[in-house]
Amino acid sequence: MPRQEDRLRGSFVSCRMRASSLPEESFVDLGDGISIPCPELLFLELVEVMEPAVHALLGYELCGTYVRSASDPRLGAVTYDVAPVTSVERIGEYLDRVGRRKSVLLARRNLTYVADNAWSPMEAVVALMARLPPEELGYGFGEIDLNVRHGATPELVALGCRDSRVPDIELRGLRVGFNYDSHDHLDLDSIAGAQTEEDSVRAAAKVREKYVDDLRRNRELVASGWVILPVTSEDLFAPRGLDAVMLQAAMAAQELVGGTVLQDVRAVVSAGSQSERRQELVWSLLPWRPGSWHARKFAAWRPWGHLVTGQ
């Protein structure tokens, strides 16, 4: 608020006085005298109240094609197939305009772990963990690309293959990536909940169709030079399940391109105390009720705790 007398009164709202100015177009006018922060300012403002990994996930959402529930971001419904409200580049440019402040430095650090075009919250969690460096309890794979479309050759299309496939996550330079396969990829509940035998047969056929398409997807991506490993919710919720997936990705990358990636990831997953902290971090980010408890436990670790757990 620009002046103290303009502040709203009430227990349901908090206000802040600013001693410094913000760049032009930092607020979006909703009409009737109500304005909200632009997406780039929102990213900057929330760095002061979110644990770094949670703040980075906010970046994935702002730069992605999904929206979490405003009232219950952890467990609420997710809206898909929406246009991104900003991008990593635009957030970076906005931070440049704000100038050198402690909050800007923190936001810029977290922004380095964000990528454009995430299609789902769970995909974003896997991408973030792959991208984070070991000192931030990630796996240190480096740069990633999300949802890049790969075309098939005309001869494969003529034989019935899809004309293109889109893996969720690609580890840049390693020819390896991940697809997050949700429960919708094998919707067995639709079969169990069928009211008639005809409905059951129809549901089973639909499940089989999706299952076969997923297998063909992975096969067609291999033919284009990419080994795409499926990741399931069971991998994320199981103790050290994500460690196993990331080590498998490193093994595949070692076979394909060589280098030190396998050695590096082996060092990450073999570190005992860090593995425990990493698992707490993963659990703290997932959409389940114990997530809040794990977030508080993770924040209590030292030196890994941060200002507030967020979400």
Side-chain angles (χ1 to χ4, degrees):
M1 305 302 295
R3 299 185 306 274
Q4 181 173 348
E5 55 267 26
D6 291 334
R7 289 186 298 173
L8 297 175
R9 306 294 182 182
S11 60
F12 58 90
V13 66
S14 61
C15 300
R16 173 187 296 184
M17 297 289 294
R18 281 198 176 276
S20 58
S21 61
L22 288 168
E24 293 184 4
E25 301 179 355
S26 289
F27 293 89
V28 178
D29 186 359
L30 300 182
D32 296 325
I34 300 175
S35 296
I36 62 172
C38 68
E40 297 79 17
L41 175 58
L42 179 66
F43 185 78
L44 174 60
E45 291 285 287
L46 292 182
V47 72
E48 299 182 13
V49 295
M50 282 184 163
E51 188 275 324
V54 176
H55 185 244
L57 285 182
L58 169 68
Y60 277 90
E61 181 177 353
L62 294 173
C63 302
T65 65
Y66 65 91
V67 179
R68 293 176 182 261
S69 166
S71 60
D72 188 1
R74 184 184 296 280
L75 299 175
V78 177
T79 302
Y80 297 96
D81 299 321
V82 300
V85 294
T86 188
S87 67
V88 172
E89 181 179 10
R90 285 163 59 187
I91 294 175
E93 290 173 349
Y94 182 84
L95 296 178
D96 288 340
R97 291 164 58 198
V98 172
R100 188 175 178 83
R101 303 178 188 177
K102 180 181 178 181
S103 59
V104 170
L105 296 176
L106 292 172
R108 194 180 303 282
R109 182 197 64 179
N110 295 343
L111 185 63
T112 62
Y113 308 137
V114 179
D116 291 323
N117 202 34
W119 287 5
S120 75
M122 296 291 271
E123 172 190 309
V125 171
V126 177
L128 174 64
M129 294 305 300
R131 179 73 180 88
L132 283 174
E135 58 268 24
E136 295 289 341
L137 298 179
Y139 296 94
F141 278 106
E143 297 291 335
I144 61 173
D145 297 296
L146 301 181
N147 297 296
V148 176
R149 188 169 296 278
H150 295 271
T153 64
E155 59 185 331
L156 286 176
V157 175
L159 292 171
C161 295
R162 293 275 194 96
D163 58 1
S164 63
R165 293 289 189 175
V166 183
D168 293 343
I169 304 163
E170 297 173 13
L171 304 176
R172 193 178 297 174
L174 296 181
R175 312 303 298 179
V176 175
F178 307 100
N179 268 324
Y180 178 71
D181 288 350
S182 68
H183 288 286
D184 291 339
H185 285 254
L186 197 62
D187 185 14
L188 299 178
D189 289 342
S190 64
I191 301 174
Q195 298 298 312
T196 67
E197 182 178 352
E198 183 180 353
D199 291 340
S200 178
V201 170
R202 189 181 298 111
K206 188 173 182 180
V207 168
R208 173 68 181 177
E209 179 183 7
K210 179 59 179 172
Y211 171 70
V212 170
D213 185 64
D214 285 347
L215 293 178
R216 289 173 174 167
R217 172 202 66 191
N218 293 344
R219 191 171 65 204
E220 290 163 17
L221 287 168
V222 168
S224 69
W226 283 92
V227 174
I228 303 299
L229 306 180
V231 183
T232 68
S233 61
E234 288 81 359
D235 294 318
L236 294 175
F237 285 96
R240 303 201 65 185
L242 193 57
D243 281 3
V245 172
M246 293 297 175
L247 184 57
Q248 289 164 349
M251 289 175 173
Q254 185 73 33
E255 294 294 329
L256 292 170
V257 301
T260 65
V261 61
L262 179 55
Q263 174 184 334
D264 296 341
V265 174
R266 272 185 174 146
V268 168
V269 301
S270 64
S273 61
Q274 284 201 355
S275 293
E276 186 178 352
R277 292 172 181 143
R278 182 182 305 106
Q279 187 61 68
E280 287 294 343
L281 172 59
V282 172
W283 282 335
S284 76
L285 302 175
L286 296 178
W288 61 330
R289 294 193 182 281
S292 298
W293 181 83
H294 286 290
R296 291 190 294 271
K297 184 176 179 182
F298 176 75
W301 287 108
R302 295 293 181 262
W304 309 105
H306 191 58
L307 299 174
V308 178
T309 59
Q311 292 194 47

